[in-house]
Each structure stands twice: as structure tokens, then as C-alpha cells.
Amino acid sequence: MTALLATTALGFSSMPATCETAAKEPPIPGKMPGTTKPSILLAQDVDWPPYAYLAMPPEGDYTVAGFGKDVAMGLSEVCDIEVEVTQATWAGCWSDDKIGADAKAGVYHGCMTYTHTIGSRPRWMEFSHSILENNKPAGLLTTLDETGTPKVVDVNGWAPTQDGLAVTKNACTGNTAFSGYEWVTPSEETLAAYENENDRALKTLLDGEADAMFVYADQAYTYSCADKDVQPAWDCDLWSGLGTKFAYIHTGMFETAFNGTTLTMSKRGSGLSKIVNPCIDKFITTKSYYDICVKHDFVDDCYANEFFPEGSDSTDPWELPTSEQTGDCSSGYCGC
Ligand SMILES: *[C@@H]1O[C@H](CO)[C@@H](O)[C@H](O)[C@H]1NC(C)=O
């Protein structure tokens, strides 16, 4: 009796109720929890416009920006949720075909604009619903003066993941599986000379240390520096030459993903997707979502809602399987 009175006097009796309702999201060290609504910290790198980049004046004062951030900030229009976006390195999210050190340590709740690929990613990670249709097919990029034995280089940390190639069908050989290739990694010199994983893989290809590069089918378009007004965080010279120095011998390889570009990729079991999914489902039906799609030139790839004009769905060349490419390699996208 005396002991019970003592705990009550110290105020312990009121604690269980408060604790139960305290945090609305998984705990993050060094961050105040949301007590009345979820307070979510998301992370992005700045080398992948328009998905994730640095906004220069007049768009922004060197702030993190992109399609992902705009959607993330939009969620509080449709949900009782607070979202903060911080800069991160992609490798802290995902690298060497496994969860990155920062995502594992819970430095932030989730990383933005990752493709929900098959294979290794879902073994480690939990994905939210997508904010763009499955518009990120894989491709095989090759140099135009090489044939050689099939040595393939992957872009470390980026979709598609290596296991995606084995589940992909070769549209030029009656849809047989790709087989009989070996993976190579960039040399020490290349790793020292370049920081961006896409640059490292392309350099490996251009140096003839790989015969093909397994990469997003739209990456050469995304990294072409012609008419881009953002600060490129990659080597523009290396990436100039689609159709002259290098070209895709396979495009439209959609088998590598479960879903398109997601808003969040977090530690498996984190429960983050349960918090954000209802908000994403609502947000992609709004006019604000349409406006963000227009701003980032993604009208084609967004989930069309009532605010989208009729027939705003066209097909980009990288979405077609190679068997349906009509031009020669000079377009950058070879036919069979
Ligand atoms: C893919 O994303 C869409 C749109 O957000 C969603 O409706 C669907 O449930 C998602 N599928 C998976 C497997 O997450």
C-alpha cells in the first residue's frame, strides 16, 4: 500500500496512458517525435533531376528539391502529417545490393524516389505506394564499336539491381532469358576518378572493361546535359554521345520492377508505408499532384486523375522493347 501511494505521488500512475499514445512514427535518434500526428523525416540525394536535385536561385536557395520532395510536402494537404526532407547520400540508403548504413541505423525514416524493384531490395526494404507509374524500365547500354564477350557492369546502388537481368526476357531472341554473362565492377582508377555511380559504370563501359551496362533505359536521356538548367552532379562529357559513342541494345525491360517510383523506401518492418500510403493514395487524386507533374515534366508518367487533360499519355522511346524500335542505333535506341 505504501509503495503504491509512493509511485502515485511521483506521478507514475499517469504514465502508461501517455506512453501508449506518445510517438506516431518509428523513433529517429536526435529528432522530436510527433505527439499529435506523425512527424516523418525523408531523405534524398541531389544528383538525379527532376526526381531529386539542388534548387538554385531563383527556384531555391540551394535547397533540396525535386518531384519526390514536392509530393512529400504535398501530403499534409490531404493528411494530418508533418514531413521534413533532408539531404542524404544514396549509398546511405542502399548500396552494394543491401540496405545502406544510414537507413539501417535509422538516421531518417525513409529514402525518396526509389524504384520498387524485384529481387534484393524487397528483402531488406519496405516500399510505399508509387507516385509515378512504372516508367523506369531497365536497358542495356553498349558501345557502338564493340562486340566482344558479354561482360556486364551494373550501376552500384541504383535500380535495376543485378538480379533483374536474369528475370528479364530478351525481346530479340523470342523472349528467352538473358544468360551466360558475367558481372564486372569498375576498376580502382575509375572509382577514384568518379563519385557518381552512373559515371563509374559508364566509364567502365567506355573503357572497354565491360561490353554492356545494366541501367535505367532513360538514364542517358536523364543525364544528357543538353537543355538542362540544373547543376549536373555527373560528368556531362562522359554522357554526351548517345547514338554516336554508345546506344541501348535493349530498352523497355519492365520485368525488373514491382511498381514505379515510390515516395518512401524504408527499413523492412518499419511500418512507414502504412503511415504514408493512405496519404499518397489521396494525394495522387488532387490538382496539386497534377501541378507537380507539370512542373517536373512528368505528365506522361504520373497517375492521371480528373485534372489531367485527355490523351496526355504518350510513349517514350526507352519504354519500347527493342523489337519495337524502328530506327537504327543513331537514335540511341537500337532495333533488334
Ligand atoms: C503501386 O503504386 C500504386 C499507386 O500509388 C498503388 O495503388 C499500388 O497499390 C502499388 N502497388 C504495390 C505493390 O505497392
Side-chain angles (χ1 to χ4, degrees), residues 116 127-132 258-260 262 277 280-281 284 303:
H116 189 173
F127 287 86
S128 75
H129 287 170
S130 295
I131 53 174
L132 287 173
F258 282 121
N259 220 353
T262 61
N277 280 347
I280 294 172
D281 295 349
I284 63 179
Y303 290 98

Side-chain angles (χ1 to χ4, degrees), residues 80-102:
D80 200 18
I81 191 172
E82 199 173 270
V83 182
E84 184 81 55
V85 174
T86 184
Q87 187 172 343
T89 54
W90 294 133
C93 298
W94 179 262
S95 180
D96 298 325
D97 252 350
K98 56 177 186 288
I99 188 170
D102 294 338

Side-chain angles (χ1 to χ4, degrees), residues 42-44 48 51-52 67-69 71-72 75 90 110-117 121 125-136 159 216 257-266 272-273 276-277 280 284 289 301 303:
L42 299 180
Q44 65 164 82
W48 195 31
Y51 299 86
F67 181 76
K69 181 180 178 200
V71 171
L75 296 189
W90 294 133
C111 297
M112 297 202 300
T113 67
Y114 271 82
T115 305
H116 189 173
T117 47
R121 281 188 182 172
M125 311 308 265
E126 175 180 306
F127 287 86
S128 75
H129 287 170
S130 295
I131 53 174
L132 287 173
E133 286 179 333
N134 191 356
N135 71 329
K136 303 294 294 177
Y216 282 133
F258 282 121
N259 220 353
T261 303
T262 61
L263 183 67
T264 68
M265 180 182 80
S266 56
L272 182 62
S273 60
V276 297
N277 280 347
I280 294 172
I284 63 179
Y289 174 69
D301 303 309
Y303 290 98

